[in-house]
Every structure is written in C-alpha cells, then in structure tokens.
Amino acid sequence: MNDQQFDQLLHIETTGNQYGYPTLTHYHRYEPTPYAALDQLFEKYSLESTDCVVDMGCGKGRVPFYVHHRFHTNVVGVEMNITFYENALTNKIQYMKKYSVKNNAIDFQCVFAQDYLVQQKDNVFFFFNPFSVQIFRKVVNNILRSVELEPRQISLILYYPSIDYVQFLQYETNFELENEIFLEEVSVRNVNERILVFKNM
C-alpha cells in the first residue's frame, strides 16, 4: 500500500502538502515518516501490548495511529505546533469511529518536547530528527530522570538519525545501539535512510 492507501485504511489524513520551516531555530520542518519505513522497522522490532510509545514531534499522528493499529499499545503524540496538534485530534476522532478504541489509549499533547512530563508507563520513544541535538539532550535527560525514579527498560527509535543524536547517545549516556535497520530500496541511495534502536543498559 502507498501512503494514501494506508491513511484510508486508518481513516486519517497525514499526507499532502506540508507547512514551511518553523520560525524556531531548534525545530525542523515537519515531514511524516513513510509507512514503508514503519513496515520495515516493525518487521524486525516488535512491541508488546504493555508498551507505551511516545512519538516526539508527531505531526498529524501517523506513527501513533500506525503503532496502535498494529500492536494495540498505548501511544502518545507530542507536538508543539497547534495546527498539527488539531489535525491529530481530528484524525483521532476519525480513527476511533472506525476502530473500537479506548479513549485513553491514544493521547496527543500540544507541548514542547523538552517540557513533556515523561510518565512511568512510557518506555519506547520515536524520533524522526524533529529538533536540534540541544533539544534532544534535554528530552533524553528527562527520560533518564524518569528511569531513576521508576527503573525500566527504555528504547529510543531514531529514523533518519542525526549524527549528533548518535554521538550524544554513544558517548554521553548509558544507551547502547541494539539494532540498525537499513531500509530497502532507499538506503542504497541514501545511507541516512536507516533506523537505529538504542536501549539503556
């Protein structure tokens, strides 16, 4: 299925023209994660129904809806842009009309990523290079503080990973690379078309 067909399956709208670059220096332009990349990721990386996936910079909610539909896990989308956030809420209404879903299984929050209050249940975090490494540091440090209070295994999933993200995790945290997934048909042309999964040790 192409992206439009996947959206139709989920009864959401995440394709189409995207907005321009944000005015804030540390935040990057919104671009939805290709469904093909998500398919390849989750063919090799599985989730449990007890997991809770947090998508940092979720845009219109593509990743949360995909993950919930595939694994029936709780999902959270964190988005600073009010327009994208409202799009995600509209998509949630449409998705819930189609599928029988508990309202609290899918949550969207309009907040800066570094201000998101990490919950005890949150254990998988998805990043499609949404902001600068300075913001990424703050987000990861918030996650690690949460782990100090409630020890648990954490996974960080990086799509199209920034070298700054990778170096920070490898040299300044206790996260270690668990898996590297090169995406078929695209990684040959662009080595950045890959997904890295880090876990805390």
Side-chain angles (χ1 to χ4, degrees), residues 90-112:
T90 299
N91 283 331
K92 178 179 176 179
I93 293 171
Q94 297 304 317
Y95 180 81
M96 293 179 67
K97 282 182 180 178
K98 176 66 175 178
Y99 300 101
S100 179
V101 181
K102 294 181 180 178
N103 187 57
N104 62 356
I106 302 173
D107 181 33
F108 291 102
Q109 297 191 24
C110 189
V111 63
F112 287 100

Side-chain angles (χ1 to χ4, degrees), residues 20-164:
Y21 286 86
T23 56
L24 298 176
T25 304
H26 288 284
Y27 293 84
H28 302 158
R29 179 177 63 89
Y30 166 69
E31 182 179 350
T33 304
Y35 282 113
L38 295 174
D39 279 343
Q40 292 182 56
L41 164 63
F42 290 113
E43 284 171 6
K44 298 182 179 180
Y45 179 84
S46 186
L47 294 170
E48 303 295 333
S49 60
T50 53
D51 289 328
C52 181
V53 178
V54 181
D55 181 11
M56 290 293 184
C58 71
K60 302 174 184 179
R62 176 179 292 186
V63 171
F65 292 117
Y66 176 98
V67 167
H68 183 271
H69 184 259
R70 182 161 181 161
F71 297 104
H72 306 289
T73 64
N74 285 351
V75 290
V76 179
V78 177
E79 177 55 54
M80 69 169 192
N81 183 292
I82 184 66
T83 302
F84 293 151
Y85 169 72
E86 290 174 348
N87 291 155
L89 293 182
T90 299
N91 283 331
K92 178 179 176 179
I93 293 171
Q94 297 304 317
Y95 180 81
M96 293 179 67
K97 282 182 180 178
K98 176 66 175 178
Y99 300 101
S100 179
V101 181
K102 294 181 180 178
N103 187 57
N104 62 356
I106 302 173
D107 181 33
F108 291 102
Q109 297 191 24
C110 189
V111 63
F112 287 100
Q114 66 270 28
D115 295 331
Y116 172 71
L117 182 60
V118 179
Q119 301 298 308
Q120 178 182 347
K121 61 183 174 60
D122 301 341
N123 68 323
V124 180
F125 296 82
F126 184 89
F127 302 84
F128 179 6
N129 196 23
F131 31 67
S132 70
V133 69
Q134 290 87 350
I135 301 298
F136 183 68
R137 284 172 178 270
K138 294 178 181 179
V139 172
V140 171
N141 286 334
N142 288 343
I143 294 169
L144 291 175
R145 278 192 290 271
S146 173
V147 172
E148 289 178 1
L149 297 174
E150 297 290 343
R152 61 195 187 279
Q153 185 81 72
I154 297 291
S155 294
L156 304 180
I157 301 174
L158 311 183
Y159 171 55
Y160 209 91
S162 158
I163 187 63
D164 292 336

Side-chain angles (χ1 to χ4, degrees), residues 158-180:
L158 311 183
Y159 171 55
Y160 209 91
S162 158
I163 187 63
D164 292 336
Y165 282 23
V166 175
Q167 290 179 343
F168 165 66
L169 292 176
Q170 290 180 327
Y171 298 123
E172 300 184 45
T173 75
N174 67 343
F175 282 99
E176 293 185 5
L177 181 64
E178 180 188 53
N179 203 350
E180 182 175 23

